[in-house]
Amino acid sequence: MQREGTTMDAPISLGFTDPDVPPAGVYDRCIRCGLCLPSCPTYLETMTETSSPRGRISLIKAVGEGRLDLLAEGFQAQMSECLDCRACEAACPSGVRYGELIEGARAQIARALAPRRSLLQRTVRGFLVRRLFAGRGWLALAAALVRFAQRTRLDRLAAVFGLGRAIALAPTLDAPPFRPFARRDPATPAQGLALLHLGCVMPLAFPRVHAATVRMLGRARLAVVAPPDQGCCGAIAVHAGDPTFARSLAKRNIVAFERSGADVYVVNAAGCGAALKEYGHLLAEDPAWRERAQRFAARVRDVTEVLDAVELDPRIGPLPLRATYQDPCHLAHAQRVVAAPRRLLARIPELELVEMPESALCCGSAGVYNLTQPAMAERLGQRKIANLASTDARVVVTANPGCALQLAAGLRRAGMAVQVKHVVELLDDAYAAYSAPPARAAAAASRE
Ligand code: SF4
Ligand code: SF4
């Protein structure tokens, strides 16, 4: 019998094969209730069952049961179109761990396609997944080229070579990169040591967010260390279907954390935080690393979780601004951190926080989705900007570099003068705006 997704000339290529098989125990939990559909960005945009979580789970199950070819075009297309935003997972009453399914399916496809790729395709993919983001040198070189292009306006020329989208997303690289550093203690006696996860893009594109994070952790009475032997979290490799490489990156970070003697591993990029918290799962089949990975994952915290859980320095100043918060998918859905960032923003005197419609719907960034699925990324980006515009906010606050880049690019295109800030940046601004009561009194007296 011919199976779906095959032709008579092209017999079925593969079902799932070990390792990294999407677990039947996970897809069999789906009761097809459809409660996840209204939270799925691609379903909301297409209103098509196959572009929904339920549809994709059915496809994965069909491959798992040998009814559909792993390399069927439609299957590959749906596994790529999914943002891996995990909104469906957070909405599911049956506890379907959708992330495990999509990431397993992508690993299966990538492995099956590998021998069919040309040498050039293998080299480019290997460079993007295993070199560019995982090694700081290549990314630093790319950042230097972008900086040069921005200064000389050669970035306009880049569009001619098909790099327009990448250039449009690039932030203005006008500050020196953030460097690793040895332990820094706060002004008051430290109550613990935090390791700051540097990440790949953050030190180059958002050095101010890292600097603000260090200051905010100090205000939470934590000493901070950012050792150079940590590295990429592996999220891009997992999303690209290369969990083997992600495992090697995970081991490096586990060793760096153990060596540092830190009490907590602090992350200010939601995508990285979600990946780091899942090291226990990533290394579950490796008996030599399983327990170390679980211990590590249990110590990972988003910076908003850390700051929300402690008493902060009370000397915080006012920020008379109208702001709105964009939930990063990998913070809200993958880590289920929703209230902490909002509670932190509520601590800022005179900040007016207005909720954005669909604040937890993916903005279309999703790692490199913007580059691999530009049309859907653009639709979701425009939807987000329209929702943002409806709030009339002057600043949009988020907690992930991909969201920040996508929002900033959308705002530029729409000609909207709205600032994009990380939660810790806005908190840090509020502390900088503080003036001690005597100074305030003196200032008030001099105005009279
Ligand atoms: S909500 Fe859960 S059980 Fe219901 S269709 Fe979606 S994945 Fe399946
Ligand atoms: S991960 Fe996101 S895009 Fe993919 S099926 Fe779930 S909700 Fe839809």
Side-chain angles (χ1 to χ4, degrees), residues 193-198 210 213 217 222-225 230 257 262-269 273 276 299-304 306-307:
L193 175 63
L195 185 150
L196 173 65
H197 177 71
L198 292 172
H210 273 346
T213 301
L217 290 172
L222 288 169
V224 188
V225 64
Q230 59 170 308
F257 181 58
D263 305 295
V264 59
Y265 193 104
V266 179
V267 193
N268 57 17
L276 290 153
R299 300 285 192 89
V300 178
R301 295 283 183 281
D302 185 77
V303 63
T304 59
V306 175
L307 298 178

PDB file of all heavy atoms in Angstrom, residues 193-198 210 213 217 222-225 230 257 262-269 273 276 299-304 306-307:
ATOM      1  N   LEU A 193      25.988  34.214  45.475  1.00  0.00           N
ATOM      2  CA  LEU A 193      26.758  34.481  44.260  1.00  0.00           C
ATOM      3  C   LEU A 193      25.929  34.025  43.050  1.00  0.00           C
ATOM      4  O   LEU A 193      25.465  32.880  42.987  1.00  0.00           O
ATOM      5  CB  LEU A 193      28.092  33.732  44.301  1.00  0.00           C
ATOM      6  CG  LEU A 193      28.964  33.822  43.035  1.00  0.00           C
ATOM      7  CD1 LEU A 193      29.394  35.266  42.756  1.00  0.00           C
ATOM      8  CD2 LEU A 193      30.212  32.940  43.166  1.00  0.00           C
ATOM      9  N   ALA A 194      25.763  34.926  42.087  1.00  0.00           N
ATOM     10  CA  ALA A 194      25.013  34.612  40.868  1.00  0.00           C
ATOM     11  C   ALA A 194      25.972  34.525  39.697  1.00  0.00           C
ATOM     12  O   ALA A 194      26.854  35.369  39.550  1.00  0.00           O
ATOM     13  CB  ALA A 194      23.973  35.695  40.605  1.00  0.00           C
ATOM     14  N   LEU A 195      25.798  33.501  38.866  1.00  0.00           N
ATOM     15  CA  LEU A 195      26.545  33.449  37.606  1.00  0.00           C
ATOM     16  C   LEU A 195      25.643  34.066  36.540  1.00  0.00           C
ATOM     17  O   LEU A 195      24.503  33.656  36.364  1.00  0.00           O
ATOM     18  CB  LEU A 195      26.897  32.012  37.229  1.00  0.00           C
ATOM     19  CG  LEU A 195      27.782  31.842  35.985  1.00  0.00           C
ATOM     20  CD1 LEU A 195      28.655  30.589  36.108  1.00  0.00           C
ATOM     21  CD2 LEU A 195      26.992  31.790  34.680  1.00  0.00           C
ATOM     22  N   LEU A 196      26.159  35.072  35.846  1.00  0.00           N
ATOM     23  CA  LEU A 196      25.394  35.704  34.768  1.00  0.00           C
ATOM     24  C   LEU A 196      25.665  34.970  33.460  1.00  0.00           C
ATOM     25  O   LEU A 196      26.826  34.871  33.025  1.00  0.00           O
ATOM     26  CB  LEU A 196      25.779  37.179  34.631  1.00  0.00           C
ATOM     27  CG  LEU A 196      25.158  37.907  33.427  1.00  0.00           C
ATOM     28  CD1 LEU A 196      23.640  37.989  33.545  1.00  0.00           C
ATOM     29  CD2 LEU A 196      25.756  39.300  33.266  1.00  0.00           C
ATOM     30  N   HIS A 197      24.608  34.467  32.845  1.00  0.00           N
ATOM     31  CA  HIS A 197      24.747  33.811  31.535  1.00  0.00           C
ATOM     32  C   HIS A 197      24.936  34.897  30.476  1.00  0.00           C
ATOM     33  O   HIS A 197      24.084  35.767  30.307  1.00  0.00           O
ATOM     34  CB  HIS A 197      23.496  32.983  31.232  1.00  0.00           C
ATOM     35  CG  HIS A 197      23.523  32.350  29.877  1.00  0.00           C
ATOM     36  ND1 HIS A 197      24.360  31.306  29.579  1.00  0.00           N
ATOM     37  CD2 HIS A 197      22.857  32.646  28.731  1.00  0.00           C
ATOM     38  CE1 HIS A 197      24.192  30.953  28.308  1.00  0.00           C
ATOM     39  NE2 HIS A 197      23.287  31.759  27.774  1.00  0.00           N
ATOM     40  N   LEU A 198      26.069  34.845  29.768  1.00  0.00           N
ATOM     41  CA  LEU A 198      26.369  35.905  28.806  1.00  0.00           C
ATOM     42  C   LEU A 198      25.623  35.707  27.489  1.00  0.00           C
ATOM     43  O   LEU A 198      25.152  36.658  26.889  1.00  0.00           O
ATOM     44  CB  LEU A 198      27.878  35.964  28.552  1.00  0.00           C
ATOM     45  CG  LEU A 198      28.702  36.427  29.759  1.00  0.00           C
ATOM     46  CD1 LEU A 198      30.180  36.274  29.482  1.00  0.00           C
ATOM     47  CD2 LEU A 198      28.371  37.875  30.110  1.00  0.00           C
ATOM     48  N   HIS A 210      23.015  43.635  29.949  1.00  0.00           N
ATOM     49  CA  HIS A 210      23.881  42.894  30.880  1.00  0.00           C
ATOM     50  C   HIS A 210      24.363  43.811  32.007  1.00  0.00           C
ATOM     51  O   HIS A 210      24.366  43.419  33.183  1.00  0.00           O
ATOM     52  CB  HIS A 210      25.089  42.317  30.136  1.00  0.00           C
ATOM     53  CG  HIS A 210      24.825  40.963  29.523  1.00  0.00           C
ATOM     54  ND1 HIS A 210      23.736  40.183  29.844  1.00  0.00           N
ATOM     55  CD2 HIS A 210      25.555  40.230  28.630  1.00  0.00           C
ATOM     56  CE1 HIS A 210      23.784  39.050  29.171  1.00  0.00           C
ATOM     57  NE2 HIS A 210      24.866  39.050  28.427  1.00  0.00           N
ATOM     58  N   THR A 213      21.662  44.353  34.372  1.00  0.00           N
ATOM     59  CA  THR A 213      21.399  43.126  35.146  1.00  0.00           C
ATOM     60  C   THR A 213      22.369  43.017  36.320  1.00  0.00           C
ATOM     61  O   THR A 213      21.965  42.694  37.443  1.00  0.00           O
ATOM     62  CB  THR A 213      21.532  41.891  34.219  1.00  0.00           C
ATOM     63  OG1 THR A 213      20.601  42.022  33.147  1.00  0.00           O
ATOM     64  CG2 THR A 213      21.258  40.598  34.970  1.00  0.00           C
ATOM     65  N   LEU A 217      21.222  42.962  40.151  1.00  0.00           N
ATOM     66  CA  LEU A 217      21.540  41.840  41.054  1.00  0.00           C
ATOM     67  C   LEU A 217      22.269  42.370  42.283  1.00  0.00           C
ATOM     68  O   LEU A 217      22.073  41.874  43.397  1.00  0.00           O
ATOM     69  CB  LEU A 217      22.370  40.787  40.310  1.00  0.00           C
ATOM     70  CG  LEU A 217      21.604  40.005  39.224  1.00  0.00           C
ATOM     71  CD1 LEU A 217      22.555  39.117  38.417  1.00  0.00           C
ATOM     72  CD2 LEU A 217      20.484  39.147  39.829  1.00  0.00           C
ATOM     73  N   LEU A 222      23.341  40.461  45.656  1.00  0.00           N
ATOM     74  CA  LEU A 222      24.026  39.285  45.117  1.00  0.00           C
ATOM     75  C   LEU A 222      25.349  39.706  44.482  1.00  0.00           C
ATOM     76  O   LEU A 222      25.390  40.700  43.734  1.00  0.00           O
ATOM     77  CB  LEU A 222      23.161  38.600  44.048  1.00  0.00           C
ATOM     78  CG  LEU A 222      21.934  37.847  44.557  1.00  0.00           C
ATOM     79  CD1 LEU A 222      21.030  37.457  43.399  1.00  0.00           C
ATOM     80  CD2 LEU A 222      22.352  36.598  45.341  1.00  0.00           C
ATOM     81  N   ALA A 223      26.406  38.961  44.789  1.00  0.00           N
ATOM     82  CA  ALA A 223      27.649  39.124  44.030  1.00  0.00           C
ATOM     83  C   ALA A 223      27.429  38.446  42.676  1.00  0.00           C
ATOM     84  O   ALA A 223      26.591  37.542  42.553  1.00  0.00           O
ATOM     85  CB  ALA A 223      28.801  38.465  44.779  1.00  0.00           C
ATOM     86  N   VAL A 224      28.163  38.910  41.664  1.00  0.00           N
ATOM     87  CA  VAL A 224      27.944  38.376  40.308  1.00  0.00           C
ATOM     88  C   VAL A 224      29.278  37.998  39.686  1.00  0.00           C
ATOM     89  O   VAL A 224      30.277  38.706  39.851  1.00  0.00           O
ATOM     90  CB  VAL A 224      27.237  39.412  39.399  1.00  0.00           C
ATOM     91  CG1 VAL A 224      26.834  38.778  38.061  1.00  0.00           C
ATOM     92  CG2 VAL A 224      26.008  40.003  40.076  1.00  0.00           C
ATOM     93  N   VAL A 225      29.261  36.887  38.955  1.00  0.00           N
ATOM     94  CA  VAL A 225      30.432  36.470  38.198  1.00  0.00           C
ATOM     95  C   VAL A 225      29.963  36.112  36.790  1.00  0.00           C
ATOM     96  O   VAL A 225      28.847  35.604  36.606  1.00  0.00           O
ATOM     97  CB  VAL A 225      31.140  35.273  38.900  1.00  0.00           C
ATOM     98  CG1 VAL A 225      30.257  34.038  38.957  1.00  0.00           C
ATOM     99  CG2 VAL A 225      32.451  34.928  38.226  1.00  0.00           C
ATOM    100  N   GLN A 230      31.934  29.742  30.141  1.00  0.00           N
ATOM    101  CA  GLN A 230      30.548  29.406  29.764  1.00  0.00           C
ATOM    102  C   GLN A 230      30.399  29.654  28.262  1.00  0.00           C
ATOM    103  O   GLN A 230      31.289  30.195  27.620  1.00  0.00           O
ATOM    104  CB  GLN A 230      29.584  30.300  30.531  1.00  0.00           C
ATOM    105  CG  GLN A 230      29.818  31.795  30.263  1.00  0.00           C
ATOM    106  CD  GLN A 230      28.730  32.681  30.828  1.00  0.00           C
ATOM    107  OE1 GLN A 230      27.563  32.461  30.581  1.00  0.00           O
ATOM    108  NE2 GLN A 230      29.139  33.687  31.588  1.00  0.00           N
ATOM    109  N   PHE A 257      29.483  26.349  35.472  1.00  0.00           N
ATOM    110  CA  PHE A 257      28.694  26.691  36.663  1.00  0.00           C
ATOM    111  C   PHE A 257      29.270  25.983  37.893  1.00  0.00           C
ATOM    112  O   PHE A 257      29.436  26.594  38.957  1.00  0.00           O
ATOM    113  CB  PHE A 257      27.238  26.291  36.442  1.00  0.00           C
ATOM    114  CG  PHE A 257      26.333  26.616  37.593  1.00  0.00           C
ATOM    115  CD1 PHE A 257      26.200  27.918  38.041  1.00  0.00           C
ATOM    116  CD2 PHE A 257      25.605  25.620  38.235  1.00  0.00           C
ATOM    117  CE1 PHE A 257      25.358  28.230  39.099  1.00  0.00           C
ATOM    118  CE2 PHE A 257      24.763  25.919  39.294  1.00  0.00           C
ATOM    119  CZ  PHE A 257      24.640  27.224  39.728  1.00  0.00           C
ATOM    120  N   ALA A 262      28.936  29.268  42.063  1.00  0.00           N
ATOM    121  CA  ALA A 262      27.763  30.154  42.208  1.00  0.00           C
ATOM    122  C   ALA A 262      26.573  29.389  42.768  1.00  0.00           C
ATOM    123  O   ALA A 262      26.465  28.167  42.631  1.00  0.00           O
ATOM    124  CB  ALA A 262      27.415  30.778  40.860  1.00  0.00           C
ATOM    125  N   ASP A 263      25.658  30.169  43.387  1.00  0.00           N
ATOM    126  CA  ASP A 263      24.446  29.572  43.966  1.00  0.00           C
ATOM    127  C   ASP A 263      23.323  29.493  42.945  1.00  0.00           C
ATOM    128  O   ASP A 263      22.439  28.641  43.040  1.00  0.00           O
ATOM    129  CB  ASP A 263      23.962  30.426  45.144  1.00  0.00           C
ATOM    130  CG  ASP A 263      25.054  30.629  46.173  1.00  0.00           C
ATOM    131  OD1 ASP A 263      25.459  29.631  46.783  1.00  0.00           O
ATOM    132  OD2 ASP A 263      25.538  31.775  46.322  1.00  0.00           O
ATOM    133  N   VAL A 264      23.343  30.428  42.006  1.00  0.00           N
ATOM    134  CA  VAL A 264      22.237  30.496  41.043  1.00  0.00           C
ATOM    135  C   VAL A 264      22.791  30.901  39.682  1.00  0.00           C
ATOM    136  O   VAL A 264      23.761  31.652  39.589  1.00  0.00           O
ATOM    137  CB  VAL A 264      21.146  31.482  41.560  1.00  0.00           C
ATOM    138  CG1 VAL A 264      21.701  32.881  41.774  1.00  0.00           C
ATOM    139  CG2 VAL A 264      19.949  31.554  40.622  1.00  0.00           C
ATOM    140  N   TYR A 265      22.172  30.345  38.631  1.00  0.00           N
ATOM    141  CA  TYR A 265      22.599  30.629  37.250  1.00  0.00           C
ATOM    142  C   TYR A 265      21.543  31.574  36.675  1.00  0.00           C
ATOM    143  O   TYR A 265      20.407  31.168  36.421  1.00  0.00           O
ATOM    144  CB  TYR A 265      22.662  29.316  36.474  1.00  0.00           C
ATOM    145  CG  TYR A 265      23.366  29.379  35.145  1.00  0.00           C
ATOM    146  CD1 TYR A 265      24.653  28.874  34.988  1.00  0.00           C
ATOM    147  CD2 TYR A 265      22.748  29.919  34.024  1.00  0.00           C
ATOM    148  CE1 TYR A 265      25.308  28.916  33.758  1.00  0.00           C
ATOM    149  CE2 TYR A 265      23.388  29.968  32.800  1.00  0.00           C
ATOM    150  CZ  TYR A 265      24.669  29.469  32.671  1.00  0.00           C
ATOM    151  OH  TYR A 265      25.305  29.507  31.451  1.00  0.00           O
ATOM    152  N   VAL A 266      21.908  32.840  36.491  1.00  0.00           N
ATOM    153  CA  VAL A 266      20.913  33.860  36.143  1.00  0.00           C
ATOM    154  C   VAL A 266      20.943  34.176  34.647  1.00  0.00           C
ATOM    155  O   VAL A 266      22.010  34.373  34.067  1.00  0.00           O
ATOM    156  CB  VAL A 266      21.151  35.150  36.958  1.00  0.00           C
ATOM    157  CG1 VAL A 266      20.125  36.217  36.590  1.00  0.00           C
ATOM    158  CG2 VAL A 266      21.067  34.849  38.442  1.00  0.00           C
ATOM    159  N   VAL A 267      19.766  34.235  34.071  1.00  0.00           N
ATOM    160  CA  VAL A 267      19.633  34.443  32.624  1.00  0.00           C
ATOM    161  C   VAL A 267      18.713  35.631  32.370  1.00  0.00           C
ATOM    162  O   VAL A 267      17.681  35.759  33.028  1.00  0.00           O
ATOM    163  CB  VAL A 267      19.021  33.191  31.956  1.00  0.00           C
ATOM    164  CG1 VAL A 267      19.172  33.245  30.451  1.00  0.00           C
ATOM    165  CG2 VAL A 267      19.641  31.918  32.501  1.00  0.00           C
ATOM    166  N   ASN A 268      19.092  36.493  31.433  1.00  0.00           N
ATOM    167  CA  ASN A 268      18.202  37.611  31.080  1.00  0.00           C
ATOM    168  C   ASN A 268      17.701  37.504  29.644  1.00  0.00           C
ATOM    169  O   ASN A 268      17.195  38.477  29.088  1.00  0.00           O
ATOM    170  CB  ASN A 268      18.881  38.965  31.339  1.00  0.00           C
ATOM    171  CG  ASN A 268      20.192  39.098  30.585  1.00  0.00           C
ATOM    172  OD1 ASN A 268      20.457  38.357  29.640  1.00  0.00           O
ATOM    173  ND2 ASN A 268      21.023  40.040  30.991  1.00  0.00           N
ATOM    174  N   ALA A 269      17.856  36.332  29.026  1.00  0.00           N
ATOM    175  CA  ALA A 269      17.337  36.078  27.679  1.00  0.00           C
ATOM    176  C   ALA A 269      16.416  34.861  27.793  1.00  0.00           C
ATOM    177  O   ALA A 269      16.872  33.749  28.084  1.00  0.00           O
ATOM    178  CB  ALA A 269      18.474  35.800  26.718  1.00  0.00           C
ATOM    179  N   GLY A 273      17.131  30.896  28.736  1.00  0.00           N
ATOM    180  CA  GLY A 273      16.681  30.373  30.029  1.00  0.00           C
ATOM    181  C   GLY A 273      15.878  29.089  29.862  1.00  0.00           C
ATOM    182  O   GLY A 273      16.063  28.119  30.610  1.00  0.00           O
ATOM    183  N   LEU A 276      18.291  26.289  28.976  1.00  0.00           N
ATOM    184  CA  LEU A 276      19.147  25.921  30.119  1.00  0.00           C
ATOM    185  C   LEU A 276      18.351  25.142  31.168  1.00  0.00           C
ATOM    186  O   LEU A 276      18.858  24.199  31.781  1.00  0.00           O
ATOM    187  CB  LEU A 276      19.739  27.185  30.738  1.00  0.00           C
ATOM    188  CG  LEU A 276      20.794  27.896  29.870  1.00  0.00           C
ATOM    189  CD1 LEU A 276      20.848  29.379  30.184  1.00  0.00           C
ATOM    190  CD2 LEU A 276      22.164  27.265  30.065  1.00  0.00           C
ATOM    191  N   ARG A 299      19.017  25.052  39.263  1.00  0.00           N
ATOM    192  CA  ARG A 299      19.567  26.330  39.745  1.00  0.00           C
ATOM    193  C   ARG A 299      19.383  27.476  38.746  1.00  0.00           C
ATOM    194  O   ARG A 299      19.801  28.599  39.017  1.00  0.00           O
ATOM    195  CB  ARG A 299      21.070  26.185  40.010  1.00  0.00           C
ATOM    196  CG  ARG A 299      21.447  25.144  41.042  1.00  0.00           C
ATOM    197  CD  ARG A 299      21.142  25.647  42.450  1.00  0.00           C
ATOM    198  NE  ARG A 299      21.758  24.767  43.407  1.00  0.00           N
ATOM    199  CZ  ARG A 299      22.999  24.907  43.861  1.00  0.00           C
ATOM    200  NH1 ARG A 299      23.749  25.892  43.457  1.00  0.00           N
ATOM    201  NH2 ARG A 299      23.487  24.044  44.732  1.00  0.00           N
ATOM    202  N   VAL A 300      18.836  27.188  37.576  1.00  0.00           N
ATOM    203  CA  VAL A 300      18.687  28.239  36.560  1.00  0.00           C
ATOM    204  C   VAL A 300      17.450  29.085  36.871  1.00  0.00           C
ATOM    205  O   VAL A 300      16.380  28.549  37.159  1.00  0.00           O
ATOM    206  CB  VAL A 300      18.553  27.626  35.143  1.00  0.00           C
ATOM    207  CG1 VAL A 300      18.338  28.719  34.092  1.00  0.00           C
ATOM    208  CG2 VAL A 300      19.783  26.790  34.795  1.00  0.00           C
ATOM    209  N   ARG A 301      17.610  30.407  36.807  1.00  0.00           N
ATOM    210  CA  ARG A 301      16.483  31.324  37.040  1.00  0.00           C
ATOM    211  C   ARG A 301      16.542  32.469  36.033  1.00  0.00           C
ATOM    212  O   ARG A 301      17.607  32.990  35.736  1.00  0.00           O
ATOM    213  CB  ARG A 301      16.566  31.970  38.443  1.00  0.00           C
ATOM    214  CG  ARG A 301      16.434  31.017  39.601  1.00  0.00           C
ATOM    215  CD  ARG A 301      14.982  30.584  39.841  1.00  0.00           C
ATOM    216  NE  ARG A 301      14.916  29.727  41.004  1.00  0.00           N
ATOM    217  CZ  ARG A 301      15.247  28.438  41.031  1.00  0.00           C
ATOM    218  NH1 ARG A 301      15.669  27.849  39.928  1.00  0.00           N
ATOM    219  NH2 ARG A 301      15.158  27.732  42.147  1.00  0.00           N
ATOM    220  N   ASP A 302      15.377  32.871  35.570  1.00  0.00           N
ATOM    221  CA  ASP A 302      15.326  34.119  34.828  1.00  0.00           C
ATOM    222  C   ASP A 302      15.590  35.254  35.816  1.00  0.00           C
ATOM    223  O   ASP A 302      15.202  35.167  36.984  1.00  0.00           O
ATOM    224  CB  ASP A 302      13.948  34.312  34.176  1.00  0.00           C
ATOM    225  CG  ASP A 302      13.932  35.542  33.293  1.00  0.00           C
ATOM    226  OD1 ASP A 302      14.470  35.471  32.174  1.00  0.00           O
ATOM    227  OD2 ASP A 302      13.410  36.597  33.732  1.00  0.00           O
ATOM    228  N   VAL A 303      16.210  36.326  35.334  1.00  0.00           N
ATOM    229  CA  VAL A 303      16.555  37.424  36.237  1.00  0.00           C
ATOM    230  C   VAL A 303      15.300  38.007  36.897  1.00  0.00           C
ATOM    231  O   VAL A 303      15.339  38.444  38.058  1.00  0.00           O
ATOM    232  CB  VAL A 303      17.368  38.519  35.495  1.00  0.00           C
ATOM    233  CG1 VAL A 303      16.556  39.173  34.382  1.00  0.00           C
ATOM    234  CG2 VAL A 303      17.889  39.565  36.464  1.00  0.00           C
ATOM    235  N   THR A 304      14.164  37.988  36.208  1.00  0.00           N
ATOM    236  CA  THR A 304      12.940  38.542  36.816  1.00  0.00           C
ATOM    237  C   THR A 304      12.468  37.680  37.980  1.00  0.00           C
ATOM    238  O   THR A 304      11.919  38.193  38.952  1.00  0.00           O
ATOM    239  CB  THR A 304      11.806  38.691  35.769  1.00  0.00           C
ATOM    240  OG1 THR A 304      11.515  37.406  35.209  1.00  0.00           O
ATOM    241  CG2 THR A 304      12.184  39.653  34.659  1.00  0.00           C
ATOM    242  N   VAL A 306      14.510  36.042  39.972  1.00  0.00           N
ATOM    243  CA  VAL A 306      15.436  36.317  41.077  1.00  0.00           C
ATOM    244  C   VAL A 306      15.055  37.631  41.761  1.00  0.00           C
ATOM    245  O   VAL A 306      14.922  37.699  42.992  1.00  0.00           O
ATOM    246  CB  VAL A 306      16.892  36.401  40.545  1.00  0.00           C
ATOM    247  CG1 VAL A 306      17.857  36.811  41.656  1.00  0.00           C
ATOM    248  CG2 VAL A 306      17.315  35.069  39.943  1.00  0.00           C
ATOM    249  N   LEU A 307      14.857  38.685  40.957  1.00  0.00           N
ATOM    250  CA  LEU A 307      14.590  40.003  41.543  1.00  0.00           C
ATOM    251  C   LEU A 307      13.224  40.042  42.225  1.00  0.00           C
ATOM    252  O   LEU A 307      13.050  40.705  43.252  1.00  0.00           O
ATOM    253  CB  LEU A 307      14.673  41.086  40.456  1.00  0.00           C
ATOM    254  CG  LEU A 307      16.039  41.224  39.772  1.00  0.00           C
ATOM    255  CD1 LEU A 307      15.987  42.286  38.677  1.00  0.00           C
ATOM    256  CD2 LEU A 307      17.143  41.568  40.778  1.00  0.00           C
TER     257      LEU A 307
END
